[in-house]
Each structure stands twice: as C-alpha cells, then as structure tokens.
C-alpha cells in the first residue's frame, strides 16, 4: 500500500490543516479529520485510564506537571523561606544551649530535623549563603552526642 499526501485545489480558501489530505489504500482523510478523530480517541483513552482502578492517572500527572511549571518560582521561594526559618531555629537553639538552657531529647530531634532540611537545601542550592549556621550546627551535634552519652536530656 502507498501513502500519498495531496494538497487540495481549494487551498487558498481553507487552512493548511483542512487542505492536507492523506490517502492510504482506499481511505482518504484530511489532516483535520485525523487530528479530530485521534484527539477524541486520546481523550477517551486517557479518561478510561484515569477512571480505571490502577495507579496511572494521566490527567492528575498532567495537571501536576503543569502546576509545577507554573508555580516553580513560588515553590522555590517557599523552599528558600523554609531553609531560612530552619537556619534561624538552629542559631537560636544553639544560643540557648550556650546559655545552659536544658532541652528534651524531642527538642534535639526536632532541631536535628531542621539541620537536615537546612543542609539539604544548601547542598541543592550552592549559591545560598550557608556559612551562618556551620558552627551552630557543629555545636548542637556535639552537645546532642554528649547528652545522649550521659543521658542528660531534660
């Protein structure tokens, strides 16, 4: 069988999508007809996959992808704000430790989580100024190890 692309004689009056004809065997369709039929089929298939009880949700995935692209700048600002807040809590916690304020093990666990959040952000964003909390982090870890060894948490 042979595939032929033909341009109709009335090309000046119609758009390119309506003019391009594809002939395959005994079937003749314009590009517009093919896209309309294919678009409808694609819509039905994606909808059925979305409704089917499986973990592939194409509409959800497409929506999330579009949302991430549209909200990237906002999400980056939120992530940076979270890192700055974690850094603030780290430095403040270190100040409390330096002034002999006792903390529970849960408080230390929370600040260790903040340290992880902060360090992960800093490693993913080398432009972010991270020298502000380096000594505080080292001191908190040292005090945590000491309290853990001596069982001296509040």
């Amino acid at each position: 069988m042979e595939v032929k692309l033909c341009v109709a004689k009335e090309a000046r009056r119609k758009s390119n999508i309506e003019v391009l004809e594809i002939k395959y065997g005994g079937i003749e369709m314009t590009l517009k007809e093919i896209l309309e039929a294919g678009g409808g089929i694609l819509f039905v298939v994606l909808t059925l996959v979305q409704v089917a009880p499986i973990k592939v949700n194409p509409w959800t995935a497409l929506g999330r992808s579009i949302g991430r692209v549209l909200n990237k700048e906002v999400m980056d600002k939120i992530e940076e704000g979270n890192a700055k807040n974690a850094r603030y809590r780290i430095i403040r916690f270190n100040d409390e430790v330096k002034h002999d304020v006792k903390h529970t093990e849960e408080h230390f666990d929370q600040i260790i989580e903040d340290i992880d959040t902060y360090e992960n952000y800093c490693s993913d964003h080398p432009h972010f100024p991270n020298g502000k909390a380096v000594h505080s982090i080292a001191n908190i870890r040292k005090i945590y190890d000491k309290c853990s060894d001596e069982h001296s948490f509040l």
Side-chain angles (χ1 to χ4, degrees), residues 2 20 28 34 63 74 84 86 129 132 137:
E2 172 181 330
L20 186 62
E28 294 182 23
I34 292 171
V74 172
K84 286 181 178 179
K132 296 179 179 181
I137 291 170

Side-chain angles (χ1 to χ4, degrees), residues 30-62:
T30 66
L31 183 58
K32 181 179 180 182
E33 292 170 339
I34 292 171
L35 290 175
E36 286 173 348
I41 292 169
L42 180 63
F43 178 78
V44 170
V45 168
L46 290 176
T47 302
L48 289 176
V49 170
Q50 176 77 25
V51 172
I54 57 177
K55 293 184 180 183
V56 177
N57 296 323
W59 292 118
T60 303
L62 181 63

Side-chain angles (χ1 to χ4, degrees), residues 124-135:
D124 292 343
H125 301 85
H127 68 281
F128 187 71
N130 65 346
K132 296 179 179 181
V134 174
H135 297 293

Side-chain angles (χ1 to χ4, degrees), residues 1 16 30-31 55 57-58 70 85 91 95 98 110 113 126 140 147 153-154:
M1 288 194 192
N16 289 342
T30 66
L31 183 58
K55 293 184 180 183
N57 296 323
L70 294 175
N85 287 335
I91 293 170
D95 285 343
K98 283 181 179 179
Q110 180 60 52
E113 189 175 313
I140 290 169
C147 290
F153 293 110
L154 182 65

